[in-house]
Amino acid sequence: MHDRPMTVGEALVVMLEQAGVDTVFGIPGVHTIELYRGLADSAIRHITPRHEQGAGFMADGYARVTGRPGVCIVITGPGLTNTLTAMAQARADSIPMLVISGVNATATLGNGRGHLHELPDQSGLVSTVALRSFTLTDPAQLSDVLAQAFAVMTSGRPGPVHIEIPTDIMKLPAGKQTFTMPLNPRPNPSAADLATAQRMCADAKMPVILIGGGAVAHASAVRNFAQALDAPVISTTNSRGIMAGHDLDLPASPSLACVRDLLMTADLVLALGTELGPTDCDMYEDGGFTLPKNLIRVDIDSAQLARGPLPALPVTADLGSFLDNMLSNRDAWARKSTGDGAKRSKAVRELALAEIGETYGSHIDLCHEIWRAMPDATLVGDSTQLIYAGNMYVEAPRETAWFNSATGFGTLGYAAPAAIGAALGQPGRPAVALLGDGGFQFTLAELGSARDCNADVAFLVWNNSGYMEIETSMVSASIAPIGVTPSAPDFSIVASAYGLPSRRVASQDELIAALKELPRPCLIEYLAPR
C-alpha cells in the first residue's frame, strides 16, 4: 500500500479485517477522517446512514442475523451521543456492538475550553450504557485494546462496547503489532449442577421450557433437548422461530393468561437464556407473571440469575455447553414421548389465539401472510400495532426472522435502519420493516441509505394516523388524548424523492400483491383503520 509506517487509523482497519469485520456503519467527520485513511483500500464495506442513531440500529440488525458484532464509526461528541440510544437497545437485548469514536486531542481532554464536540467526560458518559469503554492513549496498545473489546463482546453476556481514539493519536505510527482474536472459553456447568438438572428432568411429569434471546445461537440443541424432554417450548420475542414447525412450539407471550396457566401447572420449568423481563413476561403490567418453585434457570450471566424469579437450581453456564452436556447423557433423564407435550402445546396455542382477540388476530394473520408470500423474509419492527400483536403470538419460520425494539429499551425509529442492517447481513434474505407512521418519522431519512446500498428491504408503513396504541392507553386511563396525532408526510412522495417505488394499499390482498410486485427497496403504505 505504501512504504511509510501505518498510522493508528490504518492499522485499525487492518485489524478489523483480521477480526472478520466486513461491514461498518458510520458518518465520517473531521474527528474521524484519519480512521478512514485505510478504509477505501480495504475489503470492508462502508454504509453511510443519515444519522448516527441509524448507524447503531443498522449495526444492531446486522449483528442479530449474523451473530457477529455490528461495528459503527462515529465522530466525537454529538456523533457518539446520537448513537447512545442504539447502544442502549443493544444493551437491553444483549446484542454485540462495537462503537469506535473519535475524541478530542489528548492535551485538551478534561480542560473544558469549549473545543469542537467536547464533552466533560465522553468515556464516562458512554460507560453508563456500554459494557466497557476504552480510551486508546498509546498507539502501541491498539491491538490489545481491540482484542479486549472483542473479548468483552463475545464472552459472557453480549452487549455494546466503545473504543475512543483521540484525534492526535489516530495520526501516529502504530508500529509493528500483531492482532489475534481472543479465544474466550465459555463457562461450563458444574458436574453437580448437571446431576441435579438431570434428576429434576427425570422426575418431571409435566415439564415446560421457556426460552429467550440467549437461545438463538443454540437453536438445534434447544430443539433436540425439548424433544427429549417432551416439553412445550414457550418462546419470548427474541427467540421466536427456534422451534418453527415443531409440535412442541408455543410462540406465545408469557403475558397471556393461558401461557401463565401452563407455567403454573408445570411440575418443572426450565428458563433458558432469558432474563424473564417484564416487557416479555408482563407486557400489560398486571403483576401476574409468576413461576413455580421447581425452576431451573440457565444463564451465562450469574448476576442475572439473582434477578427476577429465584430458581431452585441456578446454572451459570454457556447454554450451548449445558444443552450439549445434558444431551450427551439423555438416557438418564429423557422422557419417552407419549405426545403429551405436543398436546399441551397445541391446546395453549388455540387458547392464546382466542385470548388475543379478533383485532390482534387479524394483525397476526397479516404477518403470517407476509411470510407465505416471502418465506425467506426477516420481519423487523418498531413499536407499532403489528408488532405488539406479533409479540403476543407469531409463528416465525426460523430464528432471527422476527425481532423488534418493542421490548427491552423500547425505542422508536429502530425498524428502518435495523432492517437495512439485517438485509446487508444476510444477502438473499429480504427484510420487511414494520413501521408506524409516527415511529417511522424518527428515522425516515434512512430511505436514502437503503437506496444508496440497494438494500433488499420493503418498508411497510402501518398508517393509522398517529400513535394509536398510546391514544388507546390514554383513553383507557380516562386521560384526554393529546400529542398522539402528529401529522405524517405523503410517504409516497418521500419515497419518490429518494428514488424508491411505492404503493398505497388498504387491504391484505393489496399489500401482498405489492410485496410481490414492487422491486426493492420499496415503500408500501397500509392505510389502517382507526
Side-chain angles (χ1 to χ4, degrees):
M1 184 166 60
H2 42 59
D3 294 331
R4 61 174 175 78
M6 283 193 295
T7 65
V8 166
E10 290 171 316
L12 173 66
V13 172
V14 171
M15 292 178 189
L16 288 175
E17 282 190 282
Q18 292 171 341
V21 174
D22 60 15
T23 306
V24 297
F25 305 92
I27 303 175
V30 295
H31 283 70
T32 54
I33 57 173
E34 285 297 330
L35 300 181
Y36 282 75
R37 185 177 293 278
L39 200 56
D41 293 327
S42 76
I44 297 176
R45 168 181 52 179
H46 182 274
I47 303 297
T48 307
R50 297 304 187 264
H51 189 282
E52 289 92 356
Q53 186 180 100
F57 289 147
M58 288 179 191
D60 178 300
Y62 174 94
R64 291 190 196 235
V65 300
T66 65
R68 303 191 303 272
V71 181
C72 304
I73 298 178
V74 299
I75 65 168
T76 184
L80 187 58
T81 56
N82 285 342
T83 314
L84 278 175
T85 296
M87 294 176 72
Q89 185 73 45
R91 177 69 180 261
D93 287 348
S94 302
I95 304 302
M97 179 188 296
L98 176 60
V99 178
I100 301 169
S101 80
V103 71
N104 292 98
T106 308
T108 72
L109 296 180
N111 289 347
R113 294 286 304 279
H115 290 274
L116 181 64
H117 301 331
E118 183 178 14
L119 283 167
D121 181 1
Q122 180 173 279
S123 183
L125 173 65
V126 180
S127 293
T128 63
V129 173
L131 297 175
R132 285 282 303 276
S133 177
F134 299 90
T135 303
L136 181 68
T137 56
D138 180 357
Q141 296 299 311
L142 175 62
S143 61
D144 289 343
V145 167
L146 192 61
Q148 288 182 66
F150 274 96
V152 172
M153 282 187 294
T154 58
S155 64
R157 188 177 181 182
V161 173
H162 170 238
I163 299 174
E164 64 178 12
I165 306 176
T167 53
D168 57 321
I169 300 293
M170 295 177 191
K171 306 174 185 178
L172 297 178
K176 292 184 178 180
Q177 299 186 52
T178 301
F179 173 76
T180 304
M181 277 291 283
L183 297 176
N184 299 309
R186 311 290 275 179
N188 292 313
S190 69
D193 284 346
L194 286 169
T196 303
Q198 290 168 12
R199 177 183 54 77
M200 293 172 73
C201 288
D203 292 343
K205 300 295 187 292
M206 298 179 65
V208 173
I209 299 170
L210 177 59
I211 59 175
V216 168
H218 314 290
S220 178
V222 169
R223 292 170 69 92
N224 291 336
F225 180 75
Q227 191 156 327
L229 192 59
D230 192 29
V233 181
I234 302 165
S235 53
T236 56
T237 298
N238 287 325
S239 60
R240 294 285 167 81
I242 286 178
M243 296 293 294
H246 201 290
D247 288 343
L248 294 170
D249 189 23
L250 182 49
S253 171
S255 299
L256 296 171
C258 59
V259 178
R260 292 176 173 182
D261 287 344
L262 176 69
L263 288 165
M264 287 309 297
T265 55
D267 57 1
L268 173 65
V269 172
L270 296 100
L272 309 179
T274 172
E275 65 180 354
L276 302 175
T279 54
D280 272 319
C281 302
D282 194 16
M283 189 65 185
Y284 299 117
E285 297 183 347
D286 58 14
F289 176 71
T290 56
L291 289 172
K293 292 181 179 179
N294 210 30
L295 170 66
I296 298 174
R297 286 188 70 179
V298 183
D299 202 289
I300 201 167
D301 183 1
S302 59
Q304 194 60 42
L305 293 173
R307 305 181 183 117
L310 296 178
L313 176 62
V315 181
T316 302
D318 172 67
L319 180 57
S321 177
F322 172 81
L323 294 173
D324 288 347
N325 275 280
M326 290 291 287
L327 288 167
S328 67
N329 196 27
R330 71 179 71 199
D331 290 343
W333 55 268
R335 303 170 68 234
K336 184 176 181 181
S337 176
T338 61
D340 174 70
K343 291 175 186 176
R344 288 190 290 148
S345 183
K346 180 182 179 181
V348 180
R349 285 198 300 269
E350 294 172 353
L351 289 171
L353 288 171
E355 183 179 339
I356 284 167
E358 184 177 348
T359 299
Y360 266 16
S362 66
H363 298 343
I364 293 165
D365 287 342
L366 180 55
C367 293
H368 292 159
E369 281 298 317
I370 292 173
W371 273 313
R372 278 189 276 271
M374 303 170 64
D376 293 330
T378 300
L379 272 56
V380 184
D382 246 316
S383 295
T384 192
Q385 287 181 315
L386 285 175
I387 294 301
Y388 288 129
N391 284 351
M392 288 294 106
Y393 184 104
V394 79
E395 296 181 25
R398 67 182 188 284
E399 63 270 18
T400 74
W402 174 270
F403 61 87
N404 55 77
S405 63
T407 60
F409 193 56
T411 181
L412 284 170
Y414 173 84
I420 295 171
L424 294 174
Q426 285 188 325
R429 288 196 186 277
V432 179
L434 303 180
L435 312 141
D437 57 289
F440 188 21
Q441 294 183 68
F442 280 52
T443 49
L444 181 63
E446 300 304 347
L447 290 176
S449 305
R451 177 74 284 164
D452 287 350
C453 63
N454 199 31
D456 193 358
V457 178
F459 299 93
L460 172 52
V461 185
W462 185 259
N463 191 345
N464 55 19
S465 303
Y467 300 130
M468 189 66 184
E469 288 289 321
I470 305 303
E471 181 178 340
T472 301
S473 297
M474 295 176 84
V475 171
S476 297
S478 300
I479 298 171
I482 188 170
V484 292
T485 54
S487 59
D490 186 320
F491 290 107
S492 62
I493 293 177
V494 176
S496 178
Y498 280 112
L500 272 64
S502 68
R503 187 176 299 178
R504 183 174 288 164
V505 301
S507 71
Q508 181 170 295
D509 289 344
E510 291 177 346
L511 168 62
I512 298 304
L515 284 171
K516 290 180 177 179
E517 294 166 8
L518 290 179
R520 295 182 291 272
C522 65
L523 183 145
I524 302 169
E525 181 182 4
Y526 189 103
L527 300 177
R530 284 182 63 82

